Amino acid sequence: MQAAQIPVTPRGQARRTAMIQAAKAVFLEHGYERTTLDMVIDQAGGSRRTLYECFGDKAGLFRAVIELHTHELLEQLQALPSSTDAPEETLKDVARLYLRMLLSPEAIGMYRLLVAEAPKFPELGQAFYLAGPLSIRQHLTQYLISQHRCGTLHVPDATIAARQFVGLIKSDHQLGALLCPPTENCLEQRSEAEIDNEIAQAVRLFINGLQAKPVT
């Protein structure tokens, strides 16, 4: 069911945003199938009529939640370093951003939700993938190409190297976060210094593997 086309006023936009945020919380807690529109209305206020006018139905509301999350991912990518930055610090910055995008409690919840509902909403799963994981990898690929051209790193295939770097940083952290209770998430139990140390070791290993001068 398609939402009706109604004029968007500041008040209307605020009401719409409140419903999306409430729906995100409810979907993350209960999943798509067990979520009802009444649950969302209870949190956001308003009426069923307003919800239908804004989103059409539960599927439309779910799309709006994923579209907002995808937009937020794209905004985070603005923090990625430029191609003029030195390799060691650049790769550390990329790794930190990637882990934040991957392992925050909300990110883990959204990942579970999207995997569960991807067969019903394949276009949303694709949009999420393009905005998050693929965008970071493409940015990293272009950075590695630039470093290869200027001779800082030796990167015969930047696409493969970018995939390998992401895998090195990701390690088993996401799997642990997905399968273990929050209190047992290994990254949550580590200090920022410990996480930074692990990132530094991974970056050093990666740079040395690209025949750069070893980082000491």
Side-chain angles (χ1 to χ4, degrees):
M1 179 178 178
Q2 297 295 320
Q5 297 299 313
I6 58 177
V8 180
T9 64
R11 180 181 176 186
Q13 184 58 47
R15 182 173 54 188
R16 187 177 189 277
T17 300
M19 284 190 168
I20 294 174
Q21 295 293 357
K24 177 189 282 190
V26 176
F27 282 130
L28 287 176
E29 182 177 356
H30 298 284
Y32 180 80
E33 291 297 336
R34 290 184 296 162
T35 290
T36 67
L37 297 184
D38 287 337
M39 290 177 181
V40 177
I41 293 168
D42 285 343
Q43 283 211 25
S47 65
R48 183 177 288 266
R49 176 181 176 181
T50 299
L51 192 148
Y52 279 124
E53 287 177 345
C54 291
F55 307 104
D57 53 14
K58 186 169 80 168
L61 183 58
F62 183 71
R63 286 189 174 88
V65 167
I66 302 305
E67 287 167 1
L68 176 63
H69 188 71
T70 299
H71 177 72
E72 291 170 347
L73 286 180
L74 289 171
E75 286 187 332
Q76 290 185 55
L77 294 181
Q78 301 304 311
L80 282 170
S82 71
S83 60
T84 60
D85 296 330
E88 183 179 8
E89 292 307 314
T90 295
L91 294 173
K92 287 179 182 179
D93 288 342
V94 170
R96 292 186 191 102
L97 176 63
Y98 181 65
L99 286 179
R100 285 200 303 271
M101 293 178 68
L102 198 69
L103 298 173
S104 71
E106 182 176 285
I108 291 298
M110 293 300 297
Y111 182 86
R112 290 186 177 122
L113 189 58
L114 275 166
V115 169
E117 303 304 329
K120 294 179 183 176
F121 305 95
E123 76 284 3
L124 298 181
Q126 182 183 39
F128 176 84
Y129 175 74
L130 293 175
L134 184 61
S135 290
I136 284 186
R137 200 168 74 238
Q138 288 176 334
H139 179 94
L140 180 58
T141 298
Q142 292 305 309
Y143 174 78
L144 294 174
I145 288 172
S146 72
Q147 294 302 301
H148 180 77
R149 287 174 177 168
C150 70
T152 307
L153 298 174
H154 177 65
V155 195
D157 192 320
T159 300
I160 291 177
R163 285 182 181 274
Q164 291 170 336
F165 180 76
V166 168
L168 183 63
I169 297 302
K170 179 180 178 182
S171 184
D172 62 348
H173 296 315
Q174 185 185 44
L175 184 61
L178 287 166
L179 299 180
C180 301
T183 55
E184 297 180 19
N185 183 341
C186 53
L187 272 188
E188 288 188 359
Q189 293 180 349
R190 296 179 188 174
S191 66
E192 287 294 325
E194 289 173 322
I195 295 171
D196 281 346
N197 181 58
E198 181 171 334
I199 288 173
Q201 290 188 45
V203 168
R204 191 174 299 117
L205 177 64
F206 183 75
I207 290 178
N208 288 344
L210 293 178
Q211 301 177 25
K213 182 179 179 180
V215 178
T216 58

